[in-house]
Amino acid sequence: MGESVPFKKRFSAAALFGAGLRGQRNWPALWRSPEPRKTYQVLIIGGGGHGLATAYHLARDWGIRDVAVIEKGWIGGGNTGRNTTVVRSNYYYPASARFYQRSVEMYQGLSDALNFNIMFSQRGIVTLAFSPHELNLMARQVNAMQLNGIAAEILTRDDIARLLPHCDLSATARFPCVGGFLHASGGTARHDAVAWGYARAADTLGVDILQNVEVLGFEQMGGRVCAVQTNAGRIGAEKVAIAVAGNSTVVAGLAGIDLPVRSQTLQAFVSEPLKPVLDIVVMSGLHHTYVSQSDKGELVIGGDSDTMTSYAQRGSFATIERTTTGLLELFPAFSRVRLMRQWGGTVDLTPDRSPIIDRTSLDGLYISTGWGTGGFKAIPAGGAALAHFIAHDAADEYSSAFTFDRFRRGALLDEGAASGVAH
Ligand SMILES: Cc1cc2nc3c(=O)[nH]c(=O)nc-3n(C[C@H](O)[C@H](O)[C@H](O)COP(=O)(O)OP(=O)(O)OC[C@H]3O[C@@H](n4cnc5c(N)ncnc54)[C@H](O)[C@@H]3O)c2cc1C
């Protein structure tokens, strides 16, 4: 029903209020569900945050509106809707810092840009240290961040006691805390809202979002991609982009392209809702644990990845045990809190833990991959960067370090230590 009603009328406050009074029935759809057309100028495979943001930027920034996003399930059903929603720019190398800082700044304006509340909350991130050596490494990280123009400060144990009154800072803790550092502009955003906001905005600009359509193969002519085969038939295209996270090697493999990417499971957990108890994101590399509290009151908990290659979106019990053990060592009071849900996502890890945004060896075929355990924060800048690449056949000024070329030249951007916990 929402398809024929003008956008402004559909989403006016009065329309939403009226819909609420009707008992949440007959709400307008946020985006259309069109039948696939025979051809598009650009096809984007993957309806996660990166694919949807790419479609939005193609249409908004470069006027390329003959675009479809092809999603084998439902949009946001991959890692975008499975992550722990941490947004940060505490990276080491200038190229990474510039890119991720741009993404944080884009997040700051995203609710307005999309006219969709993505609940971005820059509540700050504290990373804890448990040895003088770890604290020295953090000082180096803080120096690098400051040189990159990103606010960061070393914290003493007293600072941490003030910020985290429920954290066990006693000398008898298994690992006594010696300090940490604060990344004040880091925080969280609502993951589903990011996918839905981009989807609605892209749809409004004319992009077709095709859910339940799976890409099964590529067609090429004269060394150039010209179509994809799907469970809904053949769809022709001038250009095709792959943005499928943990499925990257599988989908690129359909075009005969080999990627330096490994797929592993990363798990997350949420507890039952609690009254406000934690107003900052806390990370501990030593405990392989990080935690924040959602606006609903749930503790949102993450840990390290399951180390075997897997496409199962579940994960092993050993990781659940390790993560929750670490959490309880940090916050013993949480021992009485019940875990409500656990799940896994398939993450796409490169050897240097930095992403790839580039063209492939097949003309007209582009890829955005390698976001691994930290690509939610990169969705705004990553979408803008892939759209730029598709429109201009060249990287934008923020993402030029993230091409395949770095593996040939050995110019790796090793950001393994930039994750909150080791992966
Ligand atoms: C548990 C967990 C916690 C995380 N925590 C954080 C965090 O706190 N902060 C952060 O920045 N990042 C985090 N991440 C990483 C982040 O979620 C991802 O890097 C990011 O969401 C990747 O987005 P995407 O759009 O590339 O992929 P996805 O959201 O996975 O989207 C890819 C889509 O492609 C579709 N697809 C696959 N194959 C095909 C096909 N053949 N045809 C059509 N469609 C296909 C999939 O169904 C999927 O919907 C976490 C990840 C997980 C799993």
Side-chain angles (χ1 to χ4, degrees), residues 45-52 70-88 91 213-216 243-248 250-251 254 265-269 283 290 302 313 343-348 368-379:
I45 309 170
H50 282 274
L52 293 165
I70 305 184
E71 166 54 53
K72 73 174 175 181
W74 65 97
I75 63 163
N79 292 348
T80 298
R82 292 167 182 269
N83 73 78
T84 44
T85 79
V86 179
V87 174
R88 57 188 172 82
Y91 283 76
V213 177
E214 180 170 2
V215 170
L216 304 168
V244 298
N247 289 284
S248 293
V250 176
V251 174
L254 297 173
T265 306
L266 183 65
Q267 300 187 51
F269 323 89
M283 300 193 162
Y290 61 97
Q313 293 177 315
W343 64 90
T346 312
V347 295
D348 40 335
S368 170
T369 185
W371 296 106
T373 61
F376 175 67
K377 69 172 93 69
I379 285 171

Side-chain angles (χ1 to χ4, degrees), residues 403-419:
T403 54
F404 284 110
D405 190 45
R406 73 177 189 272
F407 298 105
R408 271 177 231 117
R409 291 185 296 119
L412 301 185
L413 278 167
D414 186 350
E415 291 287 6
S419 311

